[in-house]
Amino acid sequence: MNKIKIAFIISNLGQGGAEKQFVELIKNIDKTCFEIHLFLYAFNNKMFYYEILSIEDIIITKNELKNKNIFIKILEALLYLRSILKHNSYDIVFTSLFMNNLFVYIVAPKRYNNKLVLNNRTSLSYSNKYQLIFYKWMIRKSYIVFNSNKSLLVFLNKLKWEHHSRVKLIYNGFEKTMNNDHSNTNGDILFGGLGRQSNEKNFMQLCRVFNKLSEREKILLYLKGTEGNQTMDICKIADGNKRIFLFEAGNTLEFFNSVHVLVIPSLFEGCPNVLFEALMNKKLCIISKGANSDNFVTHLYNGIVYDGTDDDLLDKMELAINLLLNHKGNEIINTGFEYGISNFSMEKMVNQYSKLFSDIYENY
């Protein structure tokens, strides 16, 4: 059987959940069945996932946009994408994130109709109405993959029924971890927050509530992630509390090996990567109601859910401390691990994408 030729297109591979899943799909897809061409059409030195450059059996093309004028830069990007799709022939074109999806859709020649797979990572419950309008326009000649059932249902409710078959749900995938050291706290309880320090991630609330916890020396908070519009305020709180430690973005496995409880205080999430990474690293998770979009966490079954308020987060952090110190949290942790393996494994995610690509290839 001939290999299915796929063009993976993205501006660059900066740090982010969407970019990580993009890389993992390329890394793990069966290269004996798929011929992979990767185009980084706005490549620069800020690339985070350099590991992609060492993956065997893929063809990588990098394009740098040098003009500082944003309008000229956009035009250059569109012309470049038009050129690569016009002068090459691919069975499938796959891209991710709204602007990449829009650019590829705009420039793709007609022969790519029904061969475009657009991956949406934004919760449409919170995105502006223009994104929804554009996706309704793009669905006519493409397939759109969501990683959140809530977002998928919001979109389906806006579509004519004949387009429903073009909308797919594929959850993110994660590698199984070998980290099993989750019960021996020795009295130390390390809370963790992982992600961008921006308003929607809401780490200010975590810092604010942590300040209200009883000041036991062995209760600490580690915050790790890139700077955002809350960074200055977070730093002010950390400066006044010697039990709060801030770390730059980097090795997440090292982070998970350090903490006992992961707190996800986000105002909203589509498919929270950090949750599944934590579950599969056997960490007790506390998640806000807003971030628990698809009811991934059932309270006291595979994690802890709080209602979004400071008071309830404080109660749930105290609950987590007691569960770990009394070793009653182990069952919740193990259930969370099994739930993560069953629903969010890398193998399951890659198999679902592979089937989608194969089905499109066979139909067109």
Side-chain angles (χ1 to χ4, degrees):
M1 185 181 82
N2 293 331
K3 289 185 180 181
I4 299 174
K5 191 175 180 181
I6 305 179
F8 283 78
I9 299 175
I10 196 167
S11 56
N12 195 17
L13 291 172
Q15 186 176 19
E19 291 86 349
K20 180 174 183 179
Q21 289 295 308
F22 193 89
V23 170
E24 292 296 338
L25 177 56
I26 293 174
K27 184 192 301 182
N28 289 280
I29 199 167
D30 188 353
K31 309 302 188 302
T32 64
C33 297
F34 300 96
E35 180 181 316
I36 306 302
H37 296 250
L38 170 61
F39 293 92
L40 304 174
Y41 69 85
F43 179 82
N44 58 48
N45 293 328
K46 294 182 180 179
M47 181 179 178
F48 183 81
Y49 293 103
Y50 275 101
E51 64 195 79
I52 196 75
L53 302 177
S54 61
I55 298 175
E56 296 182 355
D57 299 321
I58 66 173
I59 300 169
I60 301 176
T61 304
K62 302 186 289 288
N63 179 66
E64 186 175 355
L65 301 177
K66 297 180 179 180
N67 200 297
K68 294 183 179 180
N69 183 290
I70 185 64
F71 298 105
I72 296 177
K73 186 178 289 188
I74 290 173
L75 179 59
E76 287 180 346
L78 292 172
L79 291 173
Y80 174 75
L81 292 174
R82 175 69 179 184
S83 177
I84 62 175
L85 293 177
K86 181 179 179 180
H87 295 105
N88 295 280
S89 181
Y90 300 101
D91 300 310
I92 307 287
V93 176
F94 177 85
T95 185
S96 182
L97 297 171
F98 175 71
M99 291 307 297
N100 297 320
N101 293 339
L102 182 60
F103 285 3
V104 168
Y105 187 87
I106 288 173
V107 304
K110 287 186 178 180
R111 70 173 181 273
Y112 289 104
N113 289 357
N114 304 313
K115 297 180 180 180
L116 303 177
V117 179
L118 313 179
N119 188 279
N120 176 70
R121 298 283 170 171
T122 304
S123 176
L124 290 182
S125 299
Y126 297 93
S127 65
N128 63 57
K129 62 181 179 181
Y130 298 107
Q131 284 197 22
L132 191 56
I133 291 170
F134 276 118
Y135 275 125
K136 287 175 66 177
W137 171 57
M138 291 189 285
I139 194 64
R140 299 172 305 159
K141 301 176 183 178
S142 64
Y143 293 83
I144 299 180
V145 179
F146 289 84
N147 65 346
S148 160
N149 190 56
K150 183 177 181 180
S151 292
L152 179 141
L153 292 176
V154 168
F155 190 52
L156 286 180
N157 287 334
K158 303 292 183 179
L159 287 183
K160 295 179 180 179
W161 67 267
E162 60 260 34
H163 294 321
H164 282 206
S165 63
R166 294 177 173 273
V167 182
K168 307 295 180 180
L169 173 66
I170 299 179
Y171 283 125
N172 295 346
F174 304 90
E175 296 287 0
K176 181 178 179 181
T177 178
M178 297 305 294
N179 177 18
N180 295 312
D181 185 19
H182 59 276
S183 59
N184 184 22
T185 66
N186 295 320
D188 298 339
I189 303 292
L190 277 68
F191 288 91
L194 179 63
R196 187 173 60 257
Q197 295 166 2
S198 56
N199 290 335
E200 66 273 14
K201 298 299 183 183
N202 199 28
F203 287 119
M204 266 294 294
Q205 181 188 54
L206 175 55
C207 294
R208 189 168 61 240
V209 171
F210 184 81
N211 265 347
K212 298 178 182 179
L213 281 175
S214 57
E215 293 193 8
R216 287 174 274 188
E217 290 184 2
K218 294 186 176 183
I219 307 298
L220 306 174
L221 172 62
Y222 287 3
L223 285 181
K224 188 182 185 73
T226 55
E227 293 185 357
N229 49 25
Q230 285 192 347
T231 298
M232 289 184 64
D233 292 329
I234 288 172
C235 287
K236 289 178 182 177
I237 294 179
D239 287 342
N241 189 329
K242 302 305 180 185
R243 297 180 300 138
I244 299 178
F245 300 86
L246 305 181
F247 301 92
E248 294 181 356
N251 189 320
T252 57
L253 181 58
E254 183 180 296
F255 170 83
F256 284 123
N257 284 336
S258 301
V259 304
H260 300 103
V261 183
L262 181 81
V263 182
I264 305 173
S266 303
L267 300 178
F268 58 87
E269 289 281 356
C271 187
N273 287 352
V274 67
L275 169 66
F276 309 121
E277 288 184 278
L279 292 176
M280 296 172 77
N281 274 279
K282 291 197 170 182
K283 302 302 170 185
L284 183 61
C285 294
I286 302 175
I287 189 169
S288 70
K289 182 179 178 181
N292 196 26
S293 59
D294 283 13
N295 297 315
F296 298 117
V297 176
T298 300
H299 184 57
L300 294 183
Y301 173 71
N302 61 344
I304 298 173
V305 182
Y306 77 98
D307 65 10
T309 65
D310 285 15
D311 289 343
D312 199 38
L313 177 55
L314 180 60
D315 289 344
K316 297 306 190 287
M317 291 176 75
E318 291 282 9
L319 172 62
I321 292 171
N322 291 329
L323 287 172
L324 290 178
L325 291 179
N326 296 324
H327 303 289
K328 294 180 179 179
N330 293 350
E331 184 175 349
I332 297 173
I333 292 169
N334 287 326
T335 301
F337 175 76
E338 294 300 327
Y339 171 76
I341 292 296
S342 299
N343 295 281
F344 306 100
S345 70
M346 185 64 64
E347 181 181 9
K348 183 172 183 178
M349 185 265 285
V350 173
N351 286 343
Q352 287 179 310
Y353 271 113
S354 298
K355 184 178 187 305
L356 174 60
F357 296 152
S358 298
D359 288 346
I360 294 172
Y361 176 74
E362 291 172 4
N363 289 331
Y364 298 100

